[in-house]
Amino acid sequence: MKSQPNVVSRIGHGVIDSIWRLGSAARFLGQVLWRSGLSWRRFQLIMNEVYASGVLSLIIIVVSGLFVGMVLGLQGYQTLQTYGTEQSLGVLVALSLVRELGPVVAALLFASRAGSAITAEVGLMKTTEQLKAMEMMAVDPIARVIAPRFWAGVISMPLLAAIFSIVGVFGGYLVGVVLIGVDDGAFWSQMQAAVDVRNDVLNGVIKSVVFGFAITTIALFEGYDAMPTAEGISRATTRTVVTSSLAILALDFVLTAFMFKGI
Amino acid sequence: MSSLFTRIFIVSADNLIEINNVSFAYGSRAILKGINLVAPRGKVIAIMGGSGSGKTTLLRLIGGQLRPTHGEVRVDGQVIHQLSNDALYKIRRKMGMLFQFGALFTDMSVFDNVAFQMREHTDLSEELIHDLVLMKLHAVGLRGAHDLMPYELSGGMARRVALARAVALDPQLIMYDEPFTGLDPISLDVIGNLIRRMTDALGLTSILVTHDIHKSLNIADYVYFISDGMVEAEGTPDEIRASTLPFVHQFIHAEENGPVPFHYPAPDYAVDLGVAR
């Protein structure tokens, strides 16, 4: 009984801290959006970051996309064969990738590859006083360092998700058509007929843009807010991966519920 | 040794920095308690004191990164904490700051570090920036290192690059936050002499926050000692050397015992060890 107030107090503190951090993150995002003018006027700043977070994530995205597509081909063929509809393998692979796996898995990979790197980089810049030095040089670190990375993430994410889906479809084709022997024409024609640009492709793109927005916001905030110590950066990097992953899955459910409610 | 210097210069237009009765606290923890300090143009002012005495806080107040809880900090006649964000950024273009470990941008080469402010704040052509950067690096003896990355530099070299970067746009004021920390004797001497030479050659005003009393006394025009958030002593280097004030004496002679205690406040030793009650 004696420890009860402590437990209640700890829970209370935890809740207050979480709400406080959420408020800080919202304020931080507001500042990033407000001070984004420089990034768009000097687009090269964004392009440099697209290279750092997008292009350098390509290998992991392509390799993962290929394997996910191949597994979909194997699993899908086995299930569809039971009902004698293995000709629809292309539809199954394409819809699974474009609607769900492409945006979600690419976002999870992006969070662990680029999100963690962004947090560590910004955290280290803070620890080594580079952000303060920039402020003292009359250069706004939010506009010069944070905003370009934010927009680079938002731009990179749908492109990476699209590449993931394309490579995944190719993986499904390799396993389904080349290896197992599903009819080539049926694979592509049924896919072409069933995949809708608005309902499937566009919704997938919207999802990946939202994920990009969420991942970069979390990664940048964690880096900017990190304790300026080695341990602080390590904890911030871990929090980025965990929080981003949970946010992606939660947002995916919400977006899917809105997008496919009539189906 | 008195506050005569402060009293004489406090009303002078020749002061680049005037700190009038400034107090600052983090929450309920008071860091500065009514500090008065002036930095006349073209002089090297050293601010000394033990760790945690509020020296770096003072630099942040001058740079406008913190707001005083009481009093005012004037830079070039303007009260820093009353400026708008734009005006603050404008006045910061007149300042340079050398951070304790250089704070070089780790993703940029030495050349790009020094060119950073020129590219951000001016419309100079790349050819002109190239020449200016090499001139700045030549002044600190590192023209040949312009292609290196920060991780390839020694501590002393990084500090010199940071100095070249701090003077890139010919500021009126340079603040040095512990510029001698962790340097070997040769590098320490090089940095110290550079600070004096740059101040004289470029007509700068320098504020030097440091622990290194002997080097500071060699290069500074005036010295302030801060302890427990207050100016404990001040004077020219000769006055400081001749001082009989216990605090200054302890500091100059690096004595273990004196007004600055060796031991952090603690209960009685015997009680802590359990041999007495």
Side-chain angles (χ1 to χ4, degrees):
Chain A
M1 285 301 285
K2 207 176 177 184
S3 64
Q4 242 178 3
N6 286 339
V7 172
V8 173
S9 155
R10 275 209 301 275
I11 293 171
H13 276 298
V15 171
I16 290 169
D17 282 351
S18 303
I19 293 172
W20 187 266
R21 274 182 69 76
L22 203 61
S24 300
R27 197 160 163 259
F28 174 78
L29 177 62
Q31 285 182 337
V32 173
L33 295 175
W34 181 250
R35 302 186 202 173
S36 289
L38 176 79
S39 305
W40 293 101
R41 281 196 304 278
R42 288 167 61 185
F43 196 66
Q44 189 58 39
L45 291 175
I46 295 181
M47 291 313 291
N48 292 344
E49 300 308 324
V50 166
Y51 175 80
S53 57
V55 176
L56 295 182
S57 302
L58 266 178
I59 288 182
I60 191 173
I61 292 287
V62 167
V63 173
S64 307
L66 189 67
F67 280 116
V68 168
M70 291 198 298
V71 169
L72 272 177
L74 282 174
Q75 294 278 15
Y77 179 79
Q78 208 166 27
T79 309
L80 293 173
Q81 194 192 27
T82 315
Y83 304 101
T85 53
E86 62 269 23
Q87 306 298 321
S88 303
L89 183 64
V91 179
L92 183 141
V93 169
L95 286 182
S96 309
L97 282 165
V98 171
R99 283 183 179 182
E100 282 301 325
L101 292 174
V104 172
V105 179
L108 290 171
L109 293 169
F110 185 73
S112 12
R113 162 63 184 80
S116 57
I118 289 171
T119 301
E121 190 186 12
V122 173
L124 198 66
M125 288 182 87
K126 183 181 178 186
T127 307
T128 53
E129 297 190 305
Q130 294 178 48
L131 299 180
K132 269 185 200 151
M134 206 173 269
E135 253 181 37
M136 282 307 298
M137 290 179 204
V139 176
D140 181 1
I142 298 259
R144 180 64 176 69
V145 173
I146 305 294
R149 283 167 173 75
F150 174 80
W151 289 111
V154 174
I155 292 169
S156 300
M157 193 58 253
L159 297 173
L160 290 173
I163 292 168
F164 185 97
S165 297
I166 291 165
V167 176
V169 169
F170 179 68
Y173 170 82
L174 277 183
V175 167
V177 177
V178 179
L179 196 71
I180 300 174
V182 173
D183 182 62
D184 195 4
F187 185 89
W188 292 117
S189 62
Q190 289 206 24
M191 186 192 300
Q192 195 179 357
V195 177
D196 182 72
V197 172
R198 197 194 157 280
N199 284 330
D200 303 318
V201 178
L202 185 66
N203 282 344
V205 171
I206 291 171
K207 274 187 179 181
S208 54
V209 170
V210 173
F211 296 157
F213 200 86
I215 295 165
T216 42
T217 304
I218 291 167
L220 288 165
F221 175 70
E222 290 292 355
Y224 201 73
D225 195 50
M227 267 197 308
T229 59
E231 192 201 357
I233 296 176
S234 146
R235 286 171 66 174
T237 311
T238 308
R239 272 205 306 269
T240 291
V241 177
V242 173
T243 317
S244 298
S245 305
L246 292 176
I248 291 162
L249 297 173
L251 282 168
D252 183 48
F253 171 73
V254 174
L255 289 169
T256 308
F258 275 107
M259 287 169 177
F260 301 117
K261 60 186 175 186
I263 295 170
Chain B
M1 182 165 59
S2 69
S3 60
L4 184 65
F5 180 86
T6 310
R7 286 203 301 273
I8 289 172
F9 285 104
I10 201 104
V11 290
S12 168
D14 282 342
N15 294 332
L16 187 63
I17 308 290
E18 289 176 6
I19 295 176
N20 302 326
N21 197 24
V22 161
S23 301
F24 179 80
Y26 285 111
S28 58
R29 194 162 62 95
I31 307 292
L32 300 177
K33 303 165 187 171
I35 291 249
N36 287 302
L37 186 151
V38 293
R41 292 174 200 274
K43 303 286 182 193
V44 176
I45 303 296
I47 300 174
M48 282 187 255
S51 303
S53 58
K55 305 185 302 291
T56 302
T57 303
L58 206 52
L59 288 191
R60 291 195 184 165
L61 286 163
I62 295 170
Q65 290 179 307
L66 297 173
R67 290 171 67 88
T69 43
H70 186 262
E72 60 175 29
V73 177
R74 284 180 182 271
V75 178
D76 207 14
Q78 300 186 70
V79 179
I80 281 286
H81 72 267
Q82 290 175 353
L83 295 176
S84 67
N85 212 37
D86 285 346
L88 182 62
Y89 270 44
K90 205 171 168 186
I91 205 164
R92 278 184 185 161
R93 293 189 194 187
K94 298 178 186 175
M95 302 178 187
M97 184 151 177
L98 185 71
F99 285 82
Q100 194 169 353
F101 295 106
L104 294 177
F105 302 131
T106 42
D107 57 339
M108 296 181 196
S109 68
V110 165
F111 183 95
D112 290 334
N113 262 283
V114 180
F116 183 78
Q117 285 189 83
M118 299 178 193
R119 289 177 177 148
E120 292 294 320
H121 293 312
T122 71
D123 295 324
L124 298 175
S125 66
E126 274 302 311
E127 288 78 18
L128 194 52
I129 286 176
H130 175 265
D131 294 350
L132 284 171
V133 169
L134 291 187
M135 284 162 68
K136 301 289 177 191
L137 284 171
H138 186 76
V140 297
L142 290 176
R143 183 166 46 84
H146 71 273
D147 273 341
L148 299 182
M149 293 299 286
Y151 64 82
E152 296 175 282
L153 305 174
S154 68
M157 287 165 81
R159 229 68 65 89
R160 280 149 73 187
V161 173
L163 185 54
R165 186 180 69 175
V167 296
L169 287 184
D170 298 329
Q172 295 178 18
L173 166 73
I174 300 199
M175 294 182 277
Y176 303 87
D177 188 6
E178 305 281 9
F180 307 127
T181 306
L183 294 183
D184 61 79
I186 299 172
S187 304
L188 192 148
D189 221 42
V190 167
I191 296 286
N193 294 337
L194 271 173
I195 291 172
R196 184 73 250 184
R197 278 215 312 267
M198 289 260 188
T199 306
D200 294 339
L202 303 174
L204 305 168
T205 305
S206 294
I207 297 186
L208 179 64
V209 156
T210 179
H211 289 116
D212 196 293
I213 183 131
H214 298 292
K215 191 72 213 167
S216 316
L217 291 179
N218 284 341
I219 62 171
D221 295 303
Y222 201 79
V223 180
Y224 287 91
F225 272 93
I226 294 182
S227 173
D228 196 24
M230 290 182 285
V231 175
E232 197 73 25
E234 60 180 284
T236 61
D238 286 339
E239 287 173 328
I240 293 293
R241 282 191 195 96
S243 171
T244 53
L245 279 174
F247 176 80
V248 177
H249 193 269
Q250 185 191 5
F251 213 95
I252 290 180
H253 298 282
E255 290 163 345
E256 197 174 288
N257 292 310
V260 181
F262 170 68
H263 287 289
Y264 190 79
D268 186 76
Y269 195 25
V271 173
D272 250 6
L273 293 178
V275 294
R277 285 171 183 273

